[in-house]
Amino acid sequence: MKNVQTKNTQYQRIVYMICLIGALGGLLFGLDQGFIANSLSTIDHVYTLNISQGENYSAVLAWGGILGALLSGLFARTLGRKKVLVLAGFLFSVLSFVSALLPPLAILVACRFGLGFAVGVASFTVPLYLSETAPTSIRGGMATLFQLMITIGIFLIAATNVFIAKILGHTEISLRLMFAVILIFAFVMFLGSLFLPESPRWLMLKGKHDKALDVLNKVRSSKEEIQKEVAEIKESIAVNQGSGAAMLTKGFFWKILLVGVVLQMFQQLVGINMMIYYAPTIFGYAGMTGLIALLAIPTVNMLFTFPAVKWIEKWGRKKLLYFGAVIMMVSMFSAGFAFLSIHESGPSSITNAVLLLSAIVYIFGFACSWGPVAWVICAEIFPLKGREIGMTVTTMVNWTFAGLVMANALSFMKAYGNYSIFFVFGGFCILSMVFLKFFVPETKGVSLEKIEKNLEDGVPLRQLGDTESTPQAPVQTVPQSA
């Protein structure tokens, strides 16, 4: 009886540790992503940056994220999931600490690039580690928790930066404290990751079966559960070992990879990172500097990630993306017309109200649709053997276009008028709906195996989720519909 109680206590402790690393990995992702929004004015004051320099500092996180996403798969395979998490936590801690010392601008930019690298690594490795290590009963919750904690991190850093600046002003002390907030959570993640068990799947992949069983004995509650998982891991390794590169010779894989690439491209080209990073700056152009203007975007982004978890299974992926695209299109055009009116007649209470409401509605539309759903579809449409390649490439594309938006949004507004960029992003919302109609399948309620079989059988891309789809006839002379 005592042994059973000891095992249950150990099991609960490890599970709590897994929950902690999942939460902190997502939180740090959000903290670093949301840092710029309400700290850019302080950075500008301390380092006397112009618009272009501010954009470059903001965007360098994305360039680091691209490199992190590219190398994370290699790191996870060679070093192991745990060591990569330790590395990410170490980088978060050291680079946040150096940033808090307010070094010369070149070093500060290099630190942000390194933080982007750590974010890219964590965004790949944390969900992978959780899916391989967390008990089945909480695995789905962990995936949801990771996404939710990103939005909480964005909100938390936005709120703390606002209050630090309000209390202390745009001073060096303020900026040090802003970086210190990230440092605290980064150090906790680093220490916590040192005590995590290694992924049992990775241990078995490396032939360390005894160590894998030791881990499973700690993180699973019964022998039956352990035996079932060992069998599943062995089968998965046998099916997928050394097969990823072979997918690059398959025409159908390149087609579905293009769908994932364009999907992630549109996730950024609808304008989300302009709103996440620069909303306070944009509102400032209209003379809006109150707490509502400063915190509305991160607050709504966090709150409306919750319903997406339910709606994605109730409505389906494609319908939710359509819904979000329409909402974002209308709100972008509304914001554009509000800024056009401000450009011609100056700000007024009506135009400011329209601008603020448009931004809030836009974030609602994104948070409950394109924010989480684009990632879900990318995780579902790739064949098992090419899933790691597909996710790596599409993640890099997402970071690339995020960087392009961050590096050019404010300069574009300065060159062509504050209203111009809203019409551009509204146009991309329209194009995204055209893409959805002709190329993106509905994957709700369809097994991954069925999607993969339809893809291999030559079923048109937008019909991959049809459970009764039939292969494309080889004698057809009309170009295949997507």
Side-chain angles (χ1 to χ4, degrees):
M1 183 69 177
K2 185 177 180 181
N3 289 337
V4 173
Q5 290 177 339
T6 301
K7 178 175 174 57
N8 287 337
T9 301
Q10 186 181 43
Y11 167 79
Q12 292 174 353
R13 180 173 60 84
I14 295 295
V15 169
Y16 291 149
M17 285 293 294
I18 290 171
C19 293
L20 175 64
I21 195 65
L24 287 177
L27 188 72
L28 284 165
F29 189 149
L31 289 173
D32 282 301
Q33 189 177 33
F35 179 77
I36 289 296
N38 289 307
S39 69
L40 188 57
S41 296
T42 306
I43 296 171
D44 288 346
H45 276 78
V46 173
Y47 285 92
T48 61
L49 305 183
N50 57 35
I51 289 178
S52 178
Q53 289 174 319
E55 286 178 325
N56 290 336
Y57 178 72
S58 303
V60 77
L61 183 82
W63 310 139
I66 294 170
L67 183 61
L70 175 64
L71 297 179
S72 54
L74 176 63
F75 286 167
R77 284 194 303 274
T78 56
L79 299 177
R81 287 41 162 159
K82 174 184 175 176
K83 289 181 180 177
V84 176
L85 292 175
V86 173
L87 173 63
F90 176 77
L91 290 175
F92 278 128
S93 301
V94 171
L95 296 172
S96 297
F97 176 74
V98 174
S99 298
L101 297 177
L102 304 187
L105 182 60
I107 297 177
L108 188 74
V109 172
C111 286
R112 184 156 175 84
F113 179 88
L115 286 169
F117 177 83
V119 167
V121 169
S123 65
F124 180 94
T125 310
V126 171
L128 178 66
Y129 176 81
L130 292 176
S131 67
E132 294 180 349
T133 309
T136 305
S137 59
I138 66 169
R139 190 172 295 158
M142 285 295 96
T144 303
L145 176 65
F146 181 75
Q147 295 297 324
L148 179 61
M149 290 303 291
I150 293 174
T151 64
I152 292 176
I154 292 172
F155 168 79
L156 178 63
I157 198 66
T160 55
N161 285 354
V162 165
F163 287 109
I164 289 172
K166 289 289 185 182
I167 294 172
L168 299 176
H170 299 300
T171 64
E172 291 188 2
I173 294 295
S174 300
L175 192 54
R176 292 181 194 276
L177 289 176
M178 291 173 183
F179 282 115
V181 173
I182 300 177
L183 174 60
I184 292 170
F185 290 104
F187 190 64
V188 174
M189 176 186 172
F190 171 63
L191 290 180
S193 61
L194 293 173
F195 297 96
L196 287 173
E198 182 53 88
S199 158
R201 187 186 187 283
W202 182 82
L203 289 170
M204 292 190 68
L205 185 66
K206 296 298 181 180
K208 301 178 180 180
H209 293 242
D210 291 340
K211 291 184 177 180
L213 285 174
D214 287 342
V215 173
L216 287 171
N217 276 318
K218 295 177 182 177
V219 299
R220 299 295 181 266
S221 58
S222 68
K223 289 184 177 180
E224 293 77 11
E225 189 178 0
I226 293 172
Q227 292 171 351
K228 180 181 178 182
E229 185 149 350
V230 168
E232 290 176 346
I233 293 173
K234 287 181 177 179
E235 181 181 0
S236 175
I237 291 174
V239 169
N240 294 289
Q241 196 165 20
S243 60
M247 295 303 296
L248 296 176
T249 65
K250 309 292 184 182
F252 63 79
F253 179 73
W254 285 99
K255 286 165 59 179
I256 202 63
L257 180 62
L258 186 59
V259 171
V261 163
V262 178
L263 196 66
Q264 292 288 19
M265 180 185 76
F266 274 124
Q267 198 214 37
Q268 292 300 322
L269 290 180
V270 295
I272 182 58
N273 271 317
M274 178 188 73
M275 303 302 291
I276 293 294
Y277 279 71
Y278 300 133
T281 302
I282 292 170
F283 287 142
Y285 292 161
M288 303 164 62
T289 58
L291 282 179
I292 294 178
L294 295 174
L295 294 178
I297 298 301
T299 303
V300 174
N301 184 47
M302 176 183 64
L303 293 178
F304 283 101
T305 300
F306 287 94
V309 177
K310 180 179 180 180
W311 291 351
I312 193 171
E313 297 301 340
K314 182 178 181 180
W315 287 15
R317 284 72 161 139
K318 195 167 180 175
K319 288 182 180 178
L320 204 51
L321 290 176
Y322 271 127
F323 171 76
V326 171
I327 294 293
M328 291 188 295
M329 176 196 68
V330 172
S331 54
M332 276 293 180
F333 283 135
S334 297
F337 283 117
F339 255 123
L340 185 59
S341 177
I342 293 172
H343 175 74
E344 295 176 348
S345 307
S348 67
S349 57
I350 295 177
T351 55
N352 286 356
V354 170
L355 180 60
L356 180 60
L357 182 61
S358 297
I360 290 173
V361 171
Y362 169 86
I363 290 296
F364 158 73
F366 182 87
C368 67
S369 63
W370 282 82
V373 177
W375 293 104
V376 170
I377 291 181
C378 282
E380 293 175 334
I381 59 177
F382 294 117
L384 180 61
K385 295 176 183 178
R387 194 161 295 152
E388 182 177 314
I389 295 175
M391 290 301 294
T392 298
V393 171
T394 53
T395 300
M396 290 175 62
V397 168
N398 187 282
W399 279 111
T400 299
F401 280 89
L404 289 173
V405 170
M406 286 183 271
N408 295 284
L410 297 181
S411 295
F412 190 94
M413 295 175 73
K414 182 179 180 181
Y416 300 102
N418 292 337
Y419 54 86
S420 58
I421 200 164
F422 294 96
F423 294 128
V424 171
F425 288 136
F428 279 122
C429 291
I430 295 174
L431 291 177
S432 73
M433 288 186 274
V434 175
F435 172 70
L436 286 174
K437 177 175 177 59
F438 291 106
F439 296 99
V440 178
E442 175 55 72
T443 55
K444 171 193 171 186
V446 185
S447 71
L448 301 185
E449 292 75 18
K450 179 61 178 176
I451 295 172
E452 183 171 345
K453 186 176 187 307
N454 285 343
L455 181 64
E456 292 178 353
D457 287 344
V459 172
L461 293 174
R462 64 179 177 183
Q463 297 175 15
L464 291 179
D466 295 351
T467 56
E468 298 180 359
S469 294
T470 56
Q472 187 85 12
V475 296
Q476 183 174 348
T477 57
V478 179
Q480 176 176 310
S481 169

